[in-house]
Amino acid sequence: MKNILFLFVTFGLFLTFCLSLRTSSLDRAWKLFKNIHEKQYNSINEEQLRRNIWEANVRMIQKHNLEADLGLHTYTMKINHFGDLTHDEFLKQMNGLKINPEKKLNQKFHIRSNTKLPPSVDWRTKGYVTPVKNQGQCGACWAFSTTGTLEGQLAKKTQNLISLSEQQLVDCSSDYGNAGCNGGLMDNSYKYLEENNGIDTNASYPYEAIDGKCRFNIKTVATKVASYVDIQAQSEDDLQDAIANIGPIAVAVDASQNSFEFYSSGVYSESACSSTQLDFSLLAVGYGTTTDNQDYYILKNQWTTKWGMDGYMLFARNKNNQCGIATMASYALI
């Protein structure tokens, strides 16, 4: 009886020791998270709430990465600066693509070149892609995709890479169907720029991540927009052709899963996402194939270099229009 009691007490002490190690480790990790991402909270209660959310996200990511080690996923996840947000909070702040239910008026569609395409393309190596930007707490992803394709076309034409103004689109294109930090659409932005005589530089009209009064200045226009081109919906062949022959392409996806929020590395493939319910836009700057034969697109995000692979991700290609990657792609002509 004494031996049994001794075993129970010893096991209890062991569990207590393990739990204390876990708590101590989480304490250190939480402090590190706050320091790295410069997090500050208004009260003890708010910090405890945020820590609870962070711990739940940590557990979810650990489970995913263990499954990835077993070969169940083709990508990994990591805690980033969104780690103390609930998923609903994250979606409300960051995903700002607004689908227009009306039929598109644009009649220009990409015409495939019918030439043999290179096995891989990366427009970053050609100097057509500006550094990763910071969208902030503003649902203006659509503005960054618009400027991204324009920056590529301008660099291709002039051999001069210039960062263009997302804030101008946020502030000035509401008459064309956009809603600033509450969402918008690339096609609406192209239409505005066509009729507005162009877009300012980021240097002259910097990004503020808030809705503001339009301050467009024709004297600091970097380029005008002649028209824009949509890519045939759901055609990954057309999308690949456009990336190879045109340059960086604005794309939209369903980014509503928390796997996207905490993506870290590898080829992103998510069975739960939709090919039609799109809520986020990025910039496709290239494509390729991994050594184990996984086709991918190279996508540039605007959530700082803390997200993904220094602000980029590899996204599944030729996988049944994964998350709608080829559903609503487009580019501008200058």
Side-chain angles (χ1 to χ4, degrees), residues 133-141 143-144 164-168 170 181 201-210 215 302:
K133 299 180 181 182
N134 184 6
Q135 177 182 333
Q137 295 184 5
C138 171
C141 58
F144 288 86
L164 301 177
S165 177
E166 294 83 20
Q167 192 64 43
Q168 178 186 339
V170 169
C181 287
T201 65
N202 235 327
S204 63
Y205 200 152
Y207 187 65
E208 298 171 342
I210 57 173
R215 307 186 303 277
Q302 53 276 341

Side-chain angles (χ1 to χ4, degrees), residues 95-99 185-186 251-256 273-281 321-329:
N95 292 17
L97 190 72
K98 299 295 184 185
I99 304 299
L185 197 61
M186 289 82 79
V251 295
V253 298
D254 172 12
S256 63
C273 68
S274 168
S275 63
T276 57
Q277 301 299 312
L278 314 183
D279 63 357
F280 188 67
S281 58
N321 189 25
Q322 175 74 196
C323 301
I325 182 70
T327 298
M328 203 170 69

Side-chain angles (χ1 to χ4, degrees), residues 52-62 79 82-87 258 261-262:
N52 291 342
I53 295 168
W54 172 82
E55 286 191 18
N57 285 328
V58 167
R59 289 193 295 271
M60 179 266 296
I61 289 169
Q62 288 175 334
I79 277 288
F82 304 125
D84 61 348
L85 298 178
T86 68
H87 191 54
N258 53 24
E261 177 183 353
F262 295 112

Side-chain angles (χ1 to χ4, degrees), residues 56-319:
N57 285 328
V58 167
R59 289 193 295 271
M60 179 266 296
I61 289 169
Q62 288 175 334
K63 178 178 180 293
H64 173 92
N65 288 343
L66 284 172
E67 293 173 351
D69 287 342
L70 295 172
L72 300 180
H73 305 290
T74 57
Y75 63 97
T76 63
M77 297 165 65
K78 68 179 179 183
I79 277 288
N80 53 34
H81 48 306
F82 304 125
D84 61 348
L85 298 178
T86 68
H87 191 54
D88 286 342
E89 287 174 330
F90 167 79
L91 293 177
K92 186 177 180 180
Q93 287 184 16
M94 305 305 296
N95 292 17
L97 190 72
K98 299 295 184 185
I99 304 299
N100 187 347
E102 298 178 2
K103 185 177 180 180
K104 289 182 179 179
L105 298 177
N106 188 34
Q107 299 300 315
K108 290 190 177 182
F109 285 88
H110 178 73
I111 299 174
R112 205 182 308 176
S113 63
N114 292 320
T115 61
K116 185 177 180 180
L117 303 180
S120 64
V121 170
D122 187 346
W123 289 110
R124 295 174 296 181
T125 65
K126 302 294 185 181
Y128 290 5
V129 183
T130 56
V132 172
K133 299 180 181 182
N134 184 6
Q135 177 182 333
Q137 295 184 5
C138 171
C141 58
W142 53 275
F144 288 86
S145 297
T146 301
T147 59
T149 186
L150 273 169
E151 288 163 352
Q153 291 305 296
L154 183 60
K156 188 175 183 181
K157 181 178 181 179
T158 67
Q159 300 304 307
N160 188 17
L161 183 62
I162 300 173
S163 181
L164 301 177
S165 177
E166 294 83 20
Q167 192 64 43
Q168 178 186 339
L169 296 175
V170 169
D171 294 344
C172 306
S173 63
S174 59
D175 288 346
Y176 293 78
N178 292 331
C181 287
N182 291 314
L185 197 61
M186 289 82 79
D187 282 8
N188 296 342
S189 305
Y190 302 140
K191 291 173 187 175
Y192 157 71
L193 292 173
E194 276 186 69
E195 298 179 16
N196 181 68
N197 294 316
I199 186 168
D200 284 343
T201 65
N202 235 327
S204 63
Y205 200 152
Y207 187 65
E208 298 171 342
I210 57 173
D211 295 318
K213 184 178 179 181
C214 184
R215 307 186 303 277
F216 169 71
N217 186 349
I218 197 168
K219 295 180 180 179
T220 51
V221 164
T223 183
K224 294 184 178 182
V225 173
S227 62
Y228 65 98
V229 177
D230 289 322
I231 295 170
Q232 190 66 43
Q234 303 183 25
S235 173
E236 291 200 60
D237 288 340
D238 284 15
L239 176 56
Q240 182 182 356
D241 185 276
I243 295 171
N245 290 293
I246 302 299
I249 303 296
V251 295
V253 298
D254 172 12
S256 63
Q257 305 301 312
N258 53 24
S259 56
F260 193 98
E261 177 183 353
F262 295 112
Y263 167 83
S264 176
S265 65
V267 179
Y268 182 79
S269 179
E270 174 58 72
S271 60
C273 68
S274 168
S275 63
T276 57
Q277 301 299 312
L278 314 183
D279 63 357
F280 188 67
S281 58
L282 308 93
L283 188 70
V285 301
Y287 63 80
T289 304
T290 65
T291 55
D292 57 348
N293 295 317
Q294 295 182 69
D295 291 341
Y296 62 82
Y297 299 99
I298 306 170
L299 301 187
K300 179 190 180 187
N301 204 342
Q302 53 276 341
W303 293 345
T304 80
T305 55
K306 295 178 181 179
W307 181 87
M309 303 167 66
D310 295 325
Y312 289 87
M313 75 185 309
L314 303 183
F315 193 95
R317 179 167 63 92
N318 296 329
K319 200 170 184 180

Side-chain angles (χ1 to χ4, degrees), residues 28-46:
R28 290 194 296 270
W30 174 244
K31 289 178 181 178
L32 187 61
F33 169 79
K34 290 190 297 178
N35 288 336
I36 290 175
H37 300 299
E38 300 179 347
K39 299 285 185 175
Q40 294 182 340
Y41 305 104
N42 295 323
S43 67
I44 294 174
N45 289 339
E46 183 188 358

